[in-house]
Amino acid sequence: MAILDVLTYPDPFLARVAEPVKIIDNKIKKLVDDMAETMYDAPGIGLAATQVGELKRIMVIDVSEDKSQLRVFINPEIIKKEGAAVNEEGCLSVPGFYDKVERAETVMVTALDRDGQRFTINASGMLAVCIQHEIDHLDGRVFVEYLSPLKSNRIKNKLVKRQRELEREAELAQPRQRIAARA
Ligand code: ZN
């Protein structure tokens, strides 16, 4: 297994729509396993394939406290939504920012598991929030897009600035690494 790089908002890749998975082969299973490892390592409670640069309709979720209930959703579809609830959300692609988002309170979702078996669940609470958040990623949407333009622009600008700083630091660190490698 491997830990994958998670794209940071506003990377344009995060706005793309993922394609359904046609065959669950070993490559897809490896992606699922790597996504789970990446999610647990972060640590996060959910991760969509789009966030690791794969336009495939796959997401992994574990909202349990002891991180023992991995749920894999391949080609997920919401077939019923009920009620409305406001919850604070965060995102591995939007590090350091949290805000309130209104979504359906309960959702009925059908998907394939890692073995290609179809399952349908009724989700509420944190699981319902997470399912809707991750399906949004598969449709090219990030939670900050639900916030006011003022808030979402502030988040975008801060993340762009932080990204530039990280790139500059990496550039500065490079010559030193080269010297160290030669020593
Ligand atoms: Zn997210």
Side-chain angles (χ1 to χ4, degrees), residues 14 46-48 51 89-94 130 133-134 137 141-143:
L14 292 170
L47 186 70
Q51 293 176 274
E89 293 187 26
C91 179
L92 294 179
S93 294
V94 189
C130 202
H133 177 116
E134 302 310 331
H137 276 304
R141 251 190 323 264
V142 178
F143 87 94

Side-chain angles (χ1 to χ4, degrees), residues 22-94:
K22 290 196 186 86
I23 305 159
I24 301 172
D25 54 15
N26 285 339
K27 233 176 116 184
I28 292 292
K29 286 181 180 174
K30 184 180 187 308
L31 175 60
V32 167
D33 296 343
D34 288 347
M35 283 173 59
E37 196 181 4
T38 304
M39 172 183 75
Y40 287 125
D41 178 71
I45 58 169
L47 186 70
T50 309
Q51 293 176 274
V52 294
E54 293 279 354
L55 287 175
K56 295 190 173 75
R57 300 192 78 83
I58 303 173
M59 55 199 214
V60 292
I61 291 177
D62 189 342
V63 294
S64 69
E65 251 172 46
D66 59 355
K67 301 288 164 208
S68 64
Q69 287 168 44
L70 177 65
R71 295 170 190 268
V72 176
F73 298 79
I74 298 174
N75 301 342
E77 268 177 67
I78 291 177
I79 47 181
K80 205 162 103 187
K81 284 186 180 191
E82 265 173 14
V86 176
N87 286 283
E88 181 139 290
E89 293 187 26
C91 179
L92 294 179
S93 294
V94 189

Side-chain angles (χ1 to χ4, degrees), residues 115-145:
D115 298 315
Q117 296 294 315
R118 180 160 296 281
F119 66 96
T120 302
I121 54 164
N122 264 310
S124 59
M126 180 95 88
L127 182 58
V129 172
C130 202
I131 286 171
Q132 293 173 85
H133 177 116
E134 302 310 331
I135 289 180
D136 265 359
H137 276 304
L138 302 181
D139 291 330
R141 251 190 323 264
V142 178
F143 87 94
V144 296
E145 290 161 31

Side-chain angles (χ1 to χ4, degrees), residues 111-176:
L112 303 176
D113 67 14
R114 190 181 175 280
D115 298 315
Q117 296 294 315
R118 180 160 296 281
F119 66 96
T120 302
I121 54 164
N122 264 310
S124 59
M126 180 95 88
L127 182 58
V129 172
C130 202
I131 286 171
Q132 293 173 85
H133 177 116
E134 302 310 331
I135 289 180
D136 265 359
H137 276 304
L138 302 181
D139 291 330
R141 251 190 323 264
V142 178
F143 87 94
V144 296
E145 290 161 31
Y146 292 108
L147 308 179
S148 68
L150 185 72
K151 274 187 182 174
S152 61
N153 277 326
R154 197 187 304 148
I155 292 172
K156 195 187 290 178
N157 292 338
K158 281 187 182 163
L159 287 172
V160 167
K161 197 174 155 215
R162 197 186 297 164
Q163 199 62 32
R164 283 205 201 107
E165 281 167 4
L166 286 174
E167 278 163 20
R168 207 176 319 135
E169 273 170 33
E171 266 171 42
L172 289 173
Q174 236 173 5
R176 253 177 274 143

